Amino acid sequence: MIQELVRMQNINKYYGRIHALRDVSLTVNTHEVVGLLGDNGAGKSTLIKVLSGAVPMTSGQIYVKGKEVQMKSTTDAIANGIETIYQDSALVPQLSIARNLFLGREPVKGARLFNRLDHDAMNEVARTLLKRVGITKDIPPTTPIGALSGGERQAVAIARAMHFESNLIILDEPTNNLGVAETQGVLRFVREVRDTGHSCIFIAHNIHHVFQVVDRIVVMRGGKIVADNIDPKKSTIEEVERVITGEHLIEALGLDHG
Amino acid sequence: MDNRSFVQRFIAKPEFGPLVLLILEIAIFWSINPDFLSPLNISNTLAFTVELGLIALAMTLLMTSGEFDLSVGSVFGLSAVVMWTVFNTGLAPLPVAFLIAIGLAMLIGFVNGWFVTRLAIPSFLVTLGMLLIARGSALYITDGFPQRTWNAEDQWLAQVLVGEFYVGGFRVYMSLLWFVLFAFLAHYVLTQTKAGNWIQASGGNPNAARARGVNVRRTKVLLFMTSSAMAAFAGIISSIRTSAANPNSGTSYELEVIAMVVIGGTVLTGGRGTIIGTVIGIFILRIMRNGIVMVGVPGLAYNIFIGAIILAMMALHSWLERRHNAGT
Ligand SMILES: Nc1ncnc2c1ncn2[C@@H]1O[C@H](COP(=O)(O)OP(=O)(O)OP(=O)(O)O)[C@@H](O)[C@H]1O
Ligand SMILES: [Mg+2]
């Protein structure tokens, strides 16, 4: 049942002379939520940008379901079932929720020549999807994205990824700048994402949030993966924090005088 | 959000401000000079209106996609010159000359679109360059002299484009019907079709649109071509109506057309556009031009009024926008 979904192998990324990713290899399985942790500048965003086609890697391979793929653009990634959700950049603020959900894959009716939008179908699906991602407030699907809160926008983006059967949904610091209730909402979508059979990479600085939703923790430091199989059920937050900062190494070498 | 009354929602629409202004304008001119609403004056106003109006419809779609076209005034002049030069020199019959002129305009639009989307040069600069090239070509072809068009009378094409007929006491030009047809078509495309969704997305957030598989480049190039073709169509209609293909005609139309579009509520930066607003904007400006002369204000003062309307409308739209954002 559990299979390998995405495998990144020996990824290197240079930004000019900065070596941002050093021989990184990471596998994400089906039905798995992976928490990616690391200090500022560890390379987390760079890694998922490479995976989502937003920046080109310098060397390495990416496999999706065992087949090597080229991620030249975000379109390539989406076509391979990998969807990255940023706070709002993936949505068009002027367009309605329903129009955003179906952008690029609009259902049409009537004569082919005119490609008339099937508004009824779009609104209907939008309403059901909004409920599924836990928006219980009655927001009409015709509301423009610009009128939604940051958390609601992410809910729409997640709803879209779920509807179009993305296999892997990537969330880079989705809880930044969110209120308490909205943060709980986002954590709920992440669980919903796994329960409906998708995989997820979840990046956040708040380790408590990560502990609440992920199946496995991966830690990056200085462009390398330093731990890739921490079970949140068997570890404490303090232990993970020490891996992130590298203190556990200092302790192991007996250099810790504190 | 749904429980706001119908009136409240109507007032919040971007078309509401322009509509009030239009009604005010008509009421003021009419109260000063009752002839303002005479059948003769109405049909005269309509005849001028549709020529700029046709361009404004296409410009609305282009501006919704986040671009604009300064070369429309020059293409307006050049196309009529090309069509009549081809016809008068006996190179081709009128319908073929018409197709050549429209084809040339579409090529110009394609070049505009190619420079903007492939070389990522702002449309301001690209279409400014094209403005000069098109105007210069029109002047060069004609040595600066108007082309004669008086043998248009017995051509069926001329009748189809600008033939006139009477409805009651109103003289109506065929061009009005073309305008109505294109207005409905543009409104339908923008609000009801997949293409309309792509146009709005291309202007609103091109990166997001591209990531979803929307072909932003092709959408914009096609809109540049539509804009040029519409300018050519309008220029040809104008040349037949006024019996002159003047290489200088259409000068500074681009600014008036863009003014019509933004007054109607379409935003210069793209993402949101309204054909209904544009139609209202077209009438606001053309009625102003006609009305101030009829009430005895010197025609030379026209630009003062237009400038004031643009500033007032922009202030209103920005106020509505801020109020809207604050309310959510
Ligand atoms: N566009 C860029 N050009 C040059 N250097 C970059 C660029 N983007 C990131 N870097 C560098 O690459 C390294 C990794 O950055 P990255 O954004 O991946 O870190 P991160 O783990 O996401 O950090 P944070 O937690 O602060 O978001 C950093 O040293 C950063 O300065
Ligand atoms: Mg980051």
Side-chain angles (χ1 to χ4, degrees), chain B residues 298-327:
Chain B
L300 294 172
Y302 171 69
N303 280 343
I304 301 175
F305 288 85
I306 301 305
I309 290 180
I310 294 177
L311 293 181
M313 277 325 222
M314 290 309 102
L316 176 70
H317 288 314
S318 104
W319 179 72
L320 285 176
E321 180 86 345
R322 260 178 293 133
R323 218 184 55 144
H324 177 77
N325 288 343

Side-chain angles (χ1 to χ4, degrees), chain B residues 44-111:
Chain B
N44 275 344
T45 309
L46 284 177
F48 289 105
T49 302
V50 299
E51 287 156 19
L52 277 173
L54 283 167
I55 313 177
L57 295 175
M59 187 74 86
T60 304
L61 300 184
L62 181 62
M63 281 171 60
T64 305
S65 83
E67 307 293 343
F68 57 89
D69 185 353
L70 295 178
S71 68
V72 286
S74 300
V75 171
F76 181 97
L78 174 66
S79 306
V81 160
V82 165
M83 181 173 102
W84 289 105
T85 304
V86 168
F87 178 65
N88 288 342
T89 53
L91 277 173
L94 197 64
V96 176
F98 173 78
L99 291 180
I100 290 174
I102 297 282
L104 176 70
M106 289 172 89
L107 182 69
I108 290 173
F110 178 80
V111 173

